Amino acid sequence: MIVGAGFAGYRAARTLSRLTRDKADITLLNPTDYFLYLPLLPQVAAGILEPRRVTVSLSGTLPHVRLVLGEADSVDLDGHTVHYTGPEGDAGTLPFDRLILAAGSVNKLLPIPGVAEHAHGFRGLPEALYLRDHVTRQVELAAAADDPESCAARCTFVVVGAGYTGTEVAAQGQLFTDAQVRKHPLRAGMRPRWLLLDIADRVLPELDPRLSRTADRVLRERGVDVRMGTSVKEATHRGVLLTDGEFVDTRTLVWCVGVRPDPLAESLGLPLERGRLLVDPHLQVPGRPEVFAAGDGAAVPDLEKPGEYTPMTAQHAWRQGKAVAHNVAASLGLGQRRAYRHRDMGFVVDLGGVKAAANPLGIHLSGVAAGAVTRGYHLAAMPGNRVRVAADWLLDAVLPRQAVQLGLVRSWSVPLDTASPELARMPGRPENPSPAGEPVGKRAGGEPARTQQGAEPDPVQDPVPVQDPGPVQDPGPVQDPDPVQDPDAAKHPEPPGPVTRPDLRAGREPDAGAFEGGEPPPGSPAVHKPHPDAPIAPEPRSRQPSEGDQDTHEHR
């Protein structure tokens, strides 16, 4: 049983399937039906790659692995079962003889006023698609604005966190918006402005200083306002107040300050290290020989640096997935156990265009050479879609990007404080935010899980029980502005998203209270009470739900 299909979980499933050769039943539990290659997600937000290019089908590439769609709510270690909630709210239980926990990580929140309400993370496809639409909309509205202050605020984009993700988002974003204003010129003397903030003293503080200097130079030459030693003190719907006292008018706040382990580990009652499940060098939980862990949620001893643990990066998770698969197979009598030991082969940071920073095998590169090495590394590391990704890169080099708003993901669909950044919030499935920095307490289906020990569970994604709502009044068309980042949305509404039918039971009308604040989310169809004299139509035959699918992970 493997929980999670990120870098560690996907690699473990693929390797274990090859090692056991149909001698074991392998089940993979994951919210999505794809593995997400997170390092290329900034290119999705910048319009370079189509979303499906960075996803790899689980059922298509893991033919001998049973895929179960759902989110793990709790683990009964003594009963050897995992309790989960499916994508349609149905609960289930899966047995296991060996368990690999590879649930990954979620957005890291800090107790800063307004951030949870006005910022968006960058951990999954829904957030990348939302950011691409949002940035495109702001540039188009700024080009048509008569007010210089409104134009400047809409064309100011703030990214918090100068690690891998934040640096690449700012670098790709500046190129993306510059390309847009060439088609939609702004007021005289104006251009898009990107700010990159971090409390660290340099960009990419976790990497070699030479890579940091290269990235810093490229960003500044491109026009990105890089401010080290500075962060956000408060966020509002009009902008952000910085720690140096400056107030920046903006409609965009991208939160890339890092990640924290998935709260599932905290519900197990096992020893933790800063929220990560403690394991031995063989990725096995001490005292629980049937339980293994890998990836961001596992505190793996770093044998190259005694006394330390491996960092939460995709590079380590990918290699730990292979090692844990070998050790699980060895526990079944197939092969020998091996301790996890890894030496860094170098790092790559894509800065957009032909620019990058890389140090393969310790050789420092920049410019075009680094760009070629970076893209070659990503093509080699991706477990699929290599030809499609290369084709998109080629087309982007010779054709202009298509900057259009698809309107598929709305701001309320991608809250920052969620335990499932890979899933967009759906109408009728409310998700109440947890306090900043606290783990999420409940999954859809009402199963208590993923809470801090001794803490009260948070009602996150807990569907409201369907009851007879009685008389339902038509709330009428929703006129409230988008509550996130856009106070002028009433004047410039977002394009409508896809119209979905709420998940109703017994054909009843949804209760207005099922939505947050008692109002349906923007874009959802209005609820009307049927006329008392209207004939009652026969209830249509329901279709049996088919096994669906859902994902995953981060960093390099």
Side-chain angles (χ1 to χ4, degrees):
M1 177 72 192
I2 303 172
V3 177
F7 280 87
Y10 179 84
R11 186 83 183 275
R14 193 174 72 172
T15 305
L16 193 58
S17 175
R18 177 178 56 83
L19 292 175
T20 58
R21 300 182 183 276
D22 297 331
K23 296 179 181 178
D25 294 326
I26 305 172
T27 299
L28 178 62
L29 176 65
N30 198 60
T32 63
D33 67 342
Y34 57 81
F35 159 77
L36 177 64
Y37 190 76
L38 267 166
L40 293 182
L41 201 58
Q43 297 192 24
V44 174
I48 299 174
L49 297 177
E50 288 302 312
R52 286 186 296 176
R53 303 295 187 258
V54 299
T55 62
V56 177
S57 169
L58 297 179
S59 57
T61 56
L62 302 174
H64 303 297
V65 175
R66 177 194 176 201
L67 174 64
V68 176
L69 290 180
E71 299 176 82
D73 294 320
S74 61
V75 179
D76 183 353
L77 296 176
D78 295 327
H80 284 205
T81 56
V82 174
H83 304 280
Y84 72 96
T85 300
E88 296 183 350
D90 51 316
T93 302
L94 296 170
F96 66 84
D97 296 310
R98 301 290 187 276
L99 176 64
I100 300 176
L101 293 171
S105 54
V106 297
N107 289 317
K108 179 181 180 181
L109 293 180
L110 300 176
I112 299 176
V115 166
E117 295 81 12
H118 301 290
H120 289 285
F122 202 80
R123 296 277 302 143
L125 270 181
E127 293 169 323
L129 293 175
Y130 168 76
L131 182 61
R132 184 169 70 178
D133 270 10
H134 176 77
V135 170
T136 301
R137 180 172 65 256
Q138 297 307 310
V139 172
E140 292 174 347
L141 293 178
D146 296 326
D147 180 12
E149 293 183 359
S150 175
C151 178
R154 291 187 180 280
C155 278
T156 299
F157 309 94
V158 179
V159 180
V160 184
Y164 281 113
T165 303
T167 299
E168 293 190 350
V169 167
Q172 298 282 3
Q174 185 73 65
L175 290 179
F176 183 46
T177 52
D178 285 347
Q180 282 185 272
V181 298
R182 285 196 289 268
K183 300 178 182 178
H184 299 276
L186 304 178
R187 298 175 63 91
M190 286 190 177
R191 64 167 296 191
R193 177 191 179 199
W194 285 77
L195 278 76
L196 179 62
L197 313 176
D198 202 302
I199 59 174
D201 58 354
R202 60 186 176 92
V203 175
L204 300 171
E206 66 272 29
L207 297 189
D208 184 283
R210 290 179 296 178
L211 291 180
S212 177
R213 288 193 296 268
T214 298
D216 187 275
R217 184 184 71 252
V218 171
L219 290 172
R220 294 181 187 274
E221 291 175 351
R222 192 166 291 168
V224 177
D225 187 354
V226 180
R227 300 192 186 185
M228 296 294 98
T230 306
S231 189
V232 173
K233 185 176 182 180
E234 182 181 359
T236 71
H237 68 284
R238 287 289 181 182
V240 294
L241 176 63
L242 305 184
T243 53
D244 60 7
E246 179 183 354
F247 186 84
V248 178
D249 290 322
T250 181
R251 303 293 182 266
T252 308
L253 179 59
V254 187
W255 194 254
C256 303
V257 298
V259 295
R260 59 185 174 89
D262 191 289
L264 176 63
E266 297 183 351
S267 67
L268 301 178
L270 297 174
L272 302 175
E273 170 63 28
R274 295 186 179 182
R276 304 166 72 185
L277 194 62
L278 275 172
V279 297
D280 62 21
H282 298 92
L283 307 173
Q284 202 164 15
V285 176
R288 290 285 180 176
E290 76 281 9
V291 181
F292 299 77
D296 285 359
V300 182
D302 192 339
L303 299 183
E304 299 296 325
K305 301 175 181 178
E308 298 184 15
Y309 298 95
T310 57
M312 297 166 63
T313 66
Q315 188 177 110
H316 280 287
W318 185 250
R319 288 159 177 79
Q320 288 171 9
K322 180 179 180 180
V324 75
H326 279 277
N327 291 336
V328 169
S331 72
L332 300 174
L334 302 173
Q336 299 294 322
R337 291 203 312 166
R338 58 177 68 177
Y340 176 73
R341 186 185 296 271
H342 169 67
R343 290 185 178 180
D344 292 330
M345 303 298 291
F347 297 90
V348 295
V349 182
D350 193 338
L351 300 175
V354 296
K355 300 295 182 66
N359 61 347
L361 301 176
I363 303 174
H364 180 69
L365 299 175
S366 62
V368 177
V373 169
T374 298
R375 293 201 167 184
Y377 168 79
H378 287 316
L379 287 180
M382 287 193 69
N385 293 346
R386 296 186 180 95
V387 174
R388 290 185 172 93
V389 169
D392 274 5
W393 283 341
L394 178 60
L395 292 175
D396 181 68
V398 298
L399 297 175
R401 297 181 194 175
Q402 294 178 300
V404 295
Q405 302 177 53
L406 299 179
L408 299 178
V409 182
R410 306 295 294 277
S411 61
W412 54 266
S413 300
V414 282
L416 180 62
D417 46 359
T418 174
S420 304
E422 66 273 18
L423 298 177
R425 180 192 295 177
M426 301 298 293
R429 296 283 299 278
E431 179 179 353
N432 298 327
S434 61
E438 292 296 322
V440 173
K442 280 192 179 182
R443 289 290 187 181
E447 290 288 335
R450 305 196 179 196
T451 60
Q452 285 184 325
Q453 294 177 358
E456 296 242 347
D458 236 346
V460 177
Q461 288 191 350
D462 190 5
V464 176
V466 178
Q467 301 175 352
D468 191 351
V472 180
Q473 295 182 355
D474 185 353
V478 178
Q479 299 295 338
D480 291 336
D482 188 337
V484 180
Q485 298 290 0
D486 196 353
D488 302 325
K491 301 178 183 178
H492 310 285
E494 294 188 10
V499 177
T500 59
R501 181 181 301 276
D503 186 13
L504 305 180
R505 299 182 185 176
R508 292 172 178 163
E509 300 274 356
D511 188 356
F515 300 111
E516 287 184 347
E519 293 291 337
S524 62
V527 178
H528 295 275
K529 179 181 177 181
H531 193 278
D533 298 330
I536 300 177
E539 182 174 334
R541 296 179 61 186
S542 61
R543 179 176 63 87
Q544 286 296 109
S546 59
E547 265 199 335
D549 315 51
Q550 301 179 33
D551 165 38
T552 155
H553 205 298
E554 152 137 41
H555 290 93
R556 231 114 330 149

